[in-house]
């Protein structure tokens, strides 16, 4: 066989190539454009993301592999790629004014955001351990730099060091698990691994590989007990990057989780299903209880994001018995979560002014009097995160819990519902501060065009999915079907 | 003299990996922690090369080259981050990272 990529591979990887091209142009623009014109880079990056999404559209109905089986070109991957592009676009929309207030030059900021997105896209489409690993690292290394991007800020430095150390440590665990998997099967292709493991005898080393892989993935999705980096990193990172981390990185890690465990290790689902069950219960409970006592809103949202990873794990556990319903529920919830989480972080970014950090709960005081529109938007996002109808959060949770019930995991659904009830306390506490406390600063909020677009998109998404969820459900349904070589229903039996 | 079997490589790799994990858990100096993580990655490399030889299959060696490249990129970025931290804080001890609760 001749080496290299064939012309059809180039066609199959076109969205990734387009995004790479845009990222390189952004890097060039940063070097050669006069300092005064740098504001255009953000808009150029946005245009690049929209272009990539447009190129991606025809791939949504595919179900094939490319580059010698290293990459899957399917609806499942396309669904996640659209989500990553949306997350990156929302991040870029809220960035220019934030960077200006923090007093840092954008420099390579937008390039790194695009690189992280590129890594996520390969995590979602990789069906080879090497592809997934490279995608993961492209994303992670970009994030290490982005988290510490505000160099004079000590909190940003500290967050970057913590994220870097725990990120590489988890990579070590993940890679060791992958090396054992390669040792057992003599291949790095996940679908080939699945075939060999299904036909072979019981491997005594397989549980060890599964444990290491679950631990490595657990760090990336910030599941308890692998969550200790998340609150510090989320608090210290620039707010737009916190939002991107909590949505983009989490969604990409869930895509990686689904690829590794459903494509590569379906025959061991008894082992990892049990582990994820325990992780789901722990993650929901610890995340919600820890969030109750936080006074910093970014930190509170970090714990809430940990709790949401726990809810998502319910869908993963349910998918071991009802694959189609479970995976579909996870896909729906990730989209819902993206809208409400970005909305909430958008409001926090809006509160950041030269003299006010705007992250503490008391900075929310009187928000409704200061700006009724922003106050109402924050109310909507908090209700959605808490899962109150008629918001998107309610629809997402409804699907998660009904998937758990379909799979026969009644206790998991009960624990999930109880946890949602607990979470209402800290979401509504924000609302109490906004509506019933006076405003100590009395200063006006400055709405930049990017922020206005961001809030419009997130509000529209949160309401639209809550009121008319049909299109998203149908899309998630079709996309979930294409996971695995023979489709999701053939993957787990 | 007994020949070197794959089991020998696996024991070496497991020992290196465990030393790395213990180093990450117990050391307080960021640079030493970074070195321990590199030990873990090298344990992975030994495993992959040994299995590659066992199965007479090149995929493992290709994987190793990627792991080495990524480890180099991570070390470059990581040392940069640690340098930025040191400039503000004049220390590379993780016990001094007290701005946010660890």
């Amino acid at each position: 066989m001749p080496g290299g990529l064939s012309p059809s591979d180039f066609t199959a990887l076109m969205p990734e190539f387009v995004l790479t091209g845009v990222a390189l142009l952004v890097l060039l623009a940063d070097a050669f454009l006069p300092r005064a014109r740098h504001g255009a880079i953000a808009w150029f990056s946005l245009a690049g993301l929209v272009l990539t999404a447009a190129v991606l559209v025809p791939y949504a109905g595919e179900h094939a592999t490319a580059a010698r089986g290293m990459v899957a070109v399917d609806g499942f991957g396309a669904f996640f790629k659209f989500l990553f592009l949306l997350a990156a676009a929302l991040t870029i929309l809220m960035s220019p004014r934030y960077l200006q207030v923090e007093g840092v030059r954008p420099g390579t900021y937008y390039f790194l955001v695009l690189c992280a997105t590129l890594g996520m896209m390969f995590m979602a489409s990789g069906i080879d351990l090497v592809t997934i690993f490279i995608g993961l690292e492209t994303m992670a290394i970009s994030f290490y730099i982005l988290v510490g991007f505000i160099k004079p800020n000590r909190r940003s430095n500290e967050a970057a060091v913590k994220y870097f150390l725990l990120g590489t440590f988890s990579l070590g665990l993940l890679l060791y698990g992958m090396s054992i998997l390669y040792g057992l099967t003599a291949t790095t292709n996940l679908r080939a691994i699945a075939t060999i493991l299904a036909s072979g005898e019981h491997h005594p080393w397989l549980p060890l590989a599964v444990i290491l892989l679950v631990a490595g993935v657990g760090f990336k999705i910030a599941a308890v007990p692998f969550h200790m980096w998340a609150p510090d990193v989320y608090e210290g990172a620039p707010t737009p990057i916190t939002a991107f981390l909590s949505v983009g990185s989490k969604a990409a890690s869930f895509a990686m989780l689904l690829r590794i465990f459903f494509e590569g290790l379906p025959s061991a689902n008894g082992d990892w299903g049990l582990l994820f069950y325990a992780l789901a219960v722990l993650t929901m409970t610890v995340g919600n209880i820890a969030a109750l006592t936080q006074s910093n809103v970014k930190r509170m949202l970090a714990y809430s994001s940990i709790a949401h990873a726990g809810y998502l794990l319910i869908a993963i556990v349910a998918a071991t018995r009802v694959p189609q319903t479970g995976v579909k529920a996870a896909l729906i919830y990730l989209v819902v979560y993206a809208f409400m989480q970005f909305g909430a972080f958008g409001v926090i970014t809006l509160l950041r002014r030269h003299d006010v950090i705007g992250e503490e709960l008391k900075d929310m005081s009187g928000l409704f009097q200061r700006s009724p529109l922003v106050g109402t938007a924050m109310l909507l996002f908090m209700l959605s995160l808490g899962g109150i109808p008629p918001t998107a959060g309610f629809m997402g949770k409804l699907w998660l819990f009904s998937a758990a019930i379909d799979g026969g995991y009644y206790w998991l659904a009960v624990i999930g519902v109880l946890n949602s009830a607990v979470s209402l306390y800290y979401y509504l506490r924000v609302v109490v501060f906004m509506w019933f406390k006076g405003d100590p600063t009395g200063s006006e909020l400055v709405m930049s065009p990017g922020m206005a677009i961001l809030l419009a998109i997130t509000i529209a998404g949160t309401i639209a999915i809550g009121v008319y969820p049909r299109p998203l459900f149908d899309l998630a349904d079709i996309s979930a079907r294409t996971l695995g070589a023979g489709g999701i229903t053939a993957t787990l039996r | 003299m007994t020949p070197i079997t794959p089991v020998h490589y696996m024991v070496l790799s497991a020992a290196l990996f465990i030393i790395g994990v213990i180093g990450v858990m117990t050391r307080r100096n960021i640079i030493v922690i970074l070195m321990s993580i590199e030990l873990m990655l090298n344990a992975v490399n030994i495993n992959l090369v040994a299995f590659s030889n066992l199965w007479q299959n090149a995929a493992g060696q290709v994987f190793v080259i990627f792991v080495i490249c990524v480890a180099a990129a991570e070390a470059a970025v990581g040392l940069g981050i640690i340098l930025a931290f040191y400039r503000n804080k004049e220390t590379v001890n993780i016990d001094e990272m007290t701005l946010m609760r660890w």
Side-chain angles (χ1 to χ4, degrees):
Chain A
M1 258 199 317
L5 296 176
S6 69
S8 68
D9 290 336
F10 278 98
T11 328
L13 293 174
M14 197 43 88
E16 282 84 355
F17 281 120
V18 171
L19 189 60
T20 314
V22 171
L24 293 175
L25 282 177
V26 166
L27 198 57
L28 280 178
D30 174 58
F32 292 110
L33 222 58
R35 201 57 65 77
R37 308 277 296 277
H38 271 193
I41 295 179
W43 296 104
F44 179 75
S45 311
L46 262 183
L49 289 169
V50 173
L51 176 69
T52 313
V55 175
L56 187 60
V57 169
Y59 297 87
E62 296 262 341
H63 192 185
T65 62
R68 293 153 183 267
M70 304 274 286
V71 176
V73 184
D74 53 16
F76 174 83
F79 186 93
F80 271 103
K81 288 175 196 173
F82 281 122
L83 180 57
F84 303 148
L85 293 170
L86 173 74
L90 293 176
T91 309
I92 289 175
L93 280 174
M94 66 165 105
S95 294
R97 209 189 74 88
Y98 184 85
L99 293 177
Q100 198 191 346
V101 173
E102 289 288 348
V104 274
R105 281 204 312 114
T108 51
Y109 181 91
Y110 297 108
F111 169 71
L112 288 167
V113 169
L114 296 179
C115 267
T117 315
L118 188 65
M120 292 174 193
M121 287 170 79
F122 276 108
M123 282 166 81
S125 60
I127 50 166
D128 192 286
L129 294 177
V130 180
T131 322
I132 290 181
F133 157 63
I134 295 295
L136 173 66
E137 279 311 287
T138 311
M139 179 191 83
I141 292 180
S142 311
F143 268 126
Y144 299 149
I145 306 171
L146 285 172
V147 166
F149 204 79
I150 310 175
K151 271 189 284 182
N153 183 327
R154 281 194 189 177
R155 286 203 302 172
S156 185
N157 292 155
E158 212 177 291
V161 171
K162 287 174 181 174
Y163 188 42
F164 170 72
L165 289 179
L166 287 170
T168 37
F169 178 66
S170 71
L171 176 76
L173 298 180
L174 192 71
L175 279 178
Y176 204 77
M178 286 182 175
S179 77
I180 295 174
L181 212 51
Y182 171 67
L184 292 175
T185 57
T187 174
T188 55
N189 187 294
L190 284 170
R191 288 176 184 175
I193 288 173
T195 319
I196 292 168
L197 289 182
S199 61
E201 73 284 14
H202 183 70
H203 296 277
W205 292 103
L206 189 58
L208 180 63
V210 168
I211 289 171
L212 285 166
L213 290 171
V214 169
V217 172
F219 266 107
K220 293 292 169 192
I221 59 175
V224 178
F226 311 110
H227 68 293
M228 53 289 197
W229 59 274
D232 291 352
V233 172
Y234 284 20
E235 186 186 337
T239 312
I241 297 307
T242 307
F244 196 28
L245 254 183
S246 71
V247 174
S249 167
K250 189 159 293 197
S253 306
F254 267 99
M256 174 174 82
L257 185 158
L258 287 164
R259 288 284 189 203
I260 292 180
F261 291 101
F262 286 82
E263 299 249 12
L265 298 159
S267 55
N269 76 70
D271 295 346
W272 53 260
L274 199 64
L275 286 173
F276 282 132
Y277 192 110
L279 283 188
V281 174
L282 270 175
T283 308
M284 282 188 286
T285 315
V286 174
N288 277 319
I289 290 174
L292 290 176
T293 58
Q294 302 304 321
S295 63
N296 180 307
V297 182
K298 259 169 103 177
R299 208 173 166 86
M300 182 208 91
L301 282 174
Y303 280 110
S304 122
S305 148
I306 292 171
H308 282 278
Y311 299 139
L312 278 158
L313 283 173
I314 294 181
I316 305 297
V317 175
T320 57
R321 291 206 191 137
V322 280
Q324 166 70 12
T325 322
V327 174
K328 181 182 165 189
L331 295 185
I332 293 169
Y333 201 75
L334 280 166
V335 174
V336 166
Y337 174 70
F339 281 114
M340 54 201 192
Q341 188 83 350
F342 261 105
F345 277 114
V347 173
I348 297 176
T349 312
L350 205 57
L351 291 174
R352 175 80 175 91
R353 278 154 290 155
H354 282 286
D355 48 339
V356 186
I357 296 178
E359 291 167 8
E360 293 295 323
L361 210 45
K362 61 177 165 45
D363 294 326
M364 293 278 164
S365 307
L367 184 63
F368 189 72
Q369 284 88 346
R370 264 187 284 168
S371 166
L373 179 71
V374 178
T376 315
M378 193 62 172
L379 170 69
L380 177 73
F381 300 135
M382 288 297 128
L383 291 180
S384 184
L385 283 165
I388 303 283
T391 57
F394 171 72
M395 281 297 167
K397 283 222 175 89
L398 189 67
W399 264 95
L400 281 184
F401 298 145
S402 64
I405 290 167
D406 274 0
Y409 292 100
Y410 301 108
W411 277 111
L412 211 47
V414 170
I415 296 170
V417 171
L418 287 178
N419 265 295
S420 297
V422 172
S423 75
L424 276 177
Y425 170 77
Y426 58 83
Y427 291 131
L428 292 181
R429 203 156 59 125
V430 174
V431 177
V432 168
F433 268 86
M434 285 190 320
W435 286 55
F436 301 117
K437 307 253 163 144
D439 174 21
T441 58
S443 51
E444 287 290 306
L445 296 177
V446 186
M447 183 79 87
S448 68
M451 285 304 303
I453 301 172
L454 171 102
L455 284 179
I457 295 175
T458 48
I459 292 170
T462 310
I463 295 175
I465 298 172
V467 178
Y468 185 57
R470 181 104 242 148
L472 174 67
F473 283 13
D474 289 342
L475 188 64
D477 192 55
I478 301 165
S479 307
R481 255 175 234 289
T482 59
L483 178 66
I488 185 82
T489 40
T491 311
L492 283 167
R493 267 155 306 190
Chain B
M1 206 176 101
T2 50
I4 296 176
T5 61
V7 176
H8 290 91
Y9 289 110
M10 283 187 72
V11 169
L12 170 66
S13 139
L16 259 185
F17 188 76
I18 291 165
I19 292 170
V21 171
I22 293 173
V24 172
M25 303 272 180
T26 57
R27 291 309 183 111
R28 313 301 342 152
N29 184 314
I30 299 174
I31 306 285
V32 178
I33 294 177
L34 187 59
M35 283 156 60
S36 305
I37 292 172
E38 295 291 325
L39 272 189
M40 289 167 64
L41 294 181
N42 282 330
V44 171
N45 289 345
I46 291 176
N47 239 356
L48 285 170
V49 171
F51 289 133
S52 177
N53 186 45
L54 172 69
W55 298 113
Q56 292 294 303
N57 169 321
Q61 294 179 36
V62 175
F63 206 152
V64 167
I65 291 174
F66 278 110
V67 173
I68 291 172
C69 289
V70 166
E74 285 213 321
V77 168
L79 290 172
I81 289 170
I82 295 168
L83 199 62
F85 177 73
Y86 179 78
R87 286 220 173 110
N88 282 332
K89 192 92 181 174
E90 300 277 310
T91 175
V92 285
N93 191 320
I94 56 166
D95 289 331
E96 310 272 322
M97 290 206 276
T98 48
L99 222 48
M100 295 171 289
R101 283 158 292 172
W102 174 247

